[in-house]
Amino acid sequence: MPRYMLSIYQPDGDPPPPEFLEPIMRDLAVLNADMKARGAWVFAGGLFPPSTATVLHYDNRDSQLLTTDGPFVEGKEHIGGFTVIEAADLDTALEWGRRLAHTLAPLSIEVRPLQSDHRIPVDG
């Protein structure tokens, strides 16, 4: 079955206060449980802020590896987390994405198919 990544875009800056974030996280736990119960959920993860990233770039012209701190692209938002799901088709994946967008509103969700020939087996 095809896999899709549901990426969660969030604005740069501090996370929301606990009184705002806690109900969202409870709703997210309910959605994740539903994904698991329906066999769609593969795995998910939250990411540390972009300032913790290290970018590696290999320059073929002079055979140098360039290492920089922080995100490669400057922007006003970043991927804060993701969920990988299995879905019969794009419409089904988009429905899970819509539910995630509703749960995490006003954050945006990107739904993107994973290339099937590069699948990594996941035990679980």
Side-chain angles (χ1 to χ4, degrees), residues 69-85:
D69 292 332
F72 184 70
V73 177
E74 293 296 323
K76 294 182 181 178
E77 60 184 14
H78 60 275
I79 297 177
F82 62 91
T83 300
V84 174
I85 63 168

Side-chain angles (χ1 to χ4, degrees), residues 11-111:
D12 288 338
D14 294 331
E19 62 272 10
F20 182 79
L21 191 58
E22 287 172 4
I24 291 171
M25 296 309 290
R26 280 194 301 272
D27 291 345
L28 181 59
V30 170
L31 178 58
N32 285 340
D34 192 24
M35 286 182 186
K36 289 176 183 179
R38 295 172 184 246
W41 192 89
V42 177
F43 68 94
L47 301 173
F48 283 101
S51 60
T52 64
T54 302
V55 177
L56 305 172
H57 177 78
Y58 188 79
D59 188 338
N60 284 325
R61 291 173 291 161
D62 54 4
S63 299
Q64 295 279 328
L65 180 66
L66 188 63
T67 304
T68 57
D69 292 332
F72 184 70
V73 177
E74 293 296 323
K76 294 182 181 178
E77 60 184 14
H78 60 275
I79 297 177
F82 62 91
T83 300
V84 174
I85 63 168
E86 288 186 332
D89 52 35
L90 179 59
D91 288 338
T92 305
L94 289 173
E95 182 56 35
W96 286 116
R98 280 192 277 286
R99 289 186 61 190
L100 186 58
H102 182 264
T103 300
L104 299 179
L107 301 181
S108 297
I109 307 300
E110 175 185 299
V111 177

